[in-house]
């Protein structure tokens, strides 16, 4: 059973680069699609982007110019980098596996525990 | 982008009540619609996918229905552990989008 363990939370200053990792256990990081999703304090969920099992990426157009999502097969981890952060990027960031089946059964499961990033 | 809305934004209910949450999409998402439950300080958990398929391990008191632009999540016989915020999410097209959430609170 796939389990996701996140790391890299913390306090950043405006214009810093956010860097988060998500360690995958119980499965190969190159065998699935992986997404990053964020949630500002007290607010709803925003899909940031994803990396496919073949290494392709799809990003939310609202963040596309600042995002890089990658995987490291040697450590079975995925990573998120977000450049030039502002206070608006303060959020809990989640990694999640995307079940993509070319059917309506396309969903996010499981999720990592989340990592709070504060920009101030 | 496909916009998702939910109603109500919050509701108060008692243990044993039947609760229904509605999710609307700005355009048809067929049945590419998922529901997640989130408790304070925790990650969301998948409850229903493909509009009506119960995720493994989720109690049968949860059910989902709908297609096109209008969907519902029903909890028949609310239990203590069901007080949480529920989000719908469309999985038809990128960027994937979520509804703003419905908070189910204790009456």
């Amino acid at each position: 059973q796939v389990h996701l363990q996140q790391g890299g939370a913390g306090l950043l200053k405006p214009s810093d680069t956010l860097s988060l990792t998500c360690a995958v256990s119980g499965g190969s990081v190159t065998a699935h699609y992986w997404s990053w999703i964020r949630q500002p304090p007290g607010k709803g969920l925003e899909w940031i982007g994803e990396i496919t099992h073949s290494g392709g990426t799809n990003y939310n157009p609202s963040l596309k110019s600042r995002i890089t999502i990658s995987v490291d097969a040697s450590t079975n981890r995925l990573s998120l980098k977000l450049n030039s952060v502002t206070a608006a990027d303060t959020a809990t960031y989640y990694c999640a596996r995307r079940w993509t089946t070319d059917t309506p059964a396309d969903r996010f499961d499981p999720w990592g525990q989340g990592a709070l990033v504060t920009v101030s | 982008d496909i916009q998702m809305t939910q109603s109500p934004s919050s509701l108060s209910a008692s243990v044993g009540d039947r609760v229904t949450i509605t999710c609307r999409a700005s355009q048809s998402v067929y049945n590419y619609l998922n529901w997640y439950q989130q408790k304070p300080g925790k990650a969301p958990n998948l409850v229903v996918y493909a509009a009506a398929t119960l995720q493994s391990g989720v109690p049968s008191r949860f059910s989902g229905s709908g297609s096109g632009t209008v969907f519902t999540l029903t909890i028949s016989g609310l239990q203590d552990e069901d007080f949480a915020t529920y989000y719908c999410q469309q999985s038809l097209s990128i960027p994937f989008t979520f509804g703003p959430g419905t908070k189910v609170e204790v009456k």
Side-chain angles (χ1 to χ4, degrees):
Chain A
Q1 188 171 357
V2 169
H3 179 74
L4 306 178
Q5 183 68 36
Q6 295 186 231
L11 178 64
L12 298 176
K13 297 184 186 303
S15 80
D16 282 351
T17 294
L18 177 157
S19 181
L20 296 174
T21 61
C22 178
V24 177
S25 58
S28 171
V29 75
T30 58
H32 302 282
Y33 283 49
W34 306 95
S35 278
W36 288 94
I37 296 157
R38 71 179 182 178
Q39 184 173 37
K43 296 190 177 180
L45 298 158
E46 179 183 31
W47 181 79
I48 296 170
E50 70 175 4
I51 187 163
T52 73
H53 56 70
S54 59
T57 53
N58 296 299
Y59 296 146
N60 193 319
S62 66
L63 297 166
K64 185 175 183 177
S65 63
R66 299 194 290 133
I67 303 170
T68 302
I69 296 175
S70 60
V71 296
D72 184 338
S74 66
T75 60
N76 220 32
R77 292 174 184 263
L78 65 149
S79 298
L80 169 70
K81 292 190 186 299
L82 179 65
N83 299 327
S84 305
V85 298
T86 69
D89 296 311
T90 294
T92 296
Y93 288 75
Y94 297 100
C95 56
R97 178 179 60 182
R98 178 187 164 205
W99 288 87
T100 177
T101 63
D102 293 329
T103 73
D106 192 312
R107 70 271 193 193
F108 297 119
D109 180 70
W111 296 55
Q113 83 277 19
L116 176 61
V117 175
T118 302
V119 181
S120 177
Chain B
D1 299 5
I2 299 175
Q3 307 302 317
M4 308 300 292
T5 59
Q6 289 181 233
S7 60
S9 57
S10 66
L11 64 90
S12 298
S14 302
V15 170
D17 284 353
R18 177 183 173 94
V19 167
T20 298
I21 300 168
T22 300
C23 174
R24 290 182 169 82
S26 60
Q27 63 189 74
S28 177
V29 297
Y30 306 96
N31 56 340
Y32 286 75
L33 192 287
N34 304 318
W35 290 97
Y36 300 87
Q37 176 194 71
Q38 186 179 35
K39 297 182 179 180
K42 301 294 187 182
N45 273 324
L46 181 67
V47 177
V48 166
Y49 63 93
T53 302
L54 209 59
Q55 170 70 349
S56 175
V58 172
S60 59
R61 61 181 178 271
F62 288 87
S63 63
S65 65
S67 66
T69 62
V70 184
F71 302 86
T72 60
L73 176 70
T74 299
I75 310 172
S76 301
L78 197 67
Q79 298 299 303
D80 277 334
E81 58 267 31
D82 303 334
F83 292 100
T85 300
Y86 294 85
Y87 295 93
C88 60
Q89 175 244 331
Q90 63 84 14
S91 59
L92 177 67
S93 66
I94 286 172
F96 303 119
T97 47
F98 294 82
T102 295
K103 187 174 184 179
V104 178
E105 300 176 296
V106 177
K107 192 170 188 178

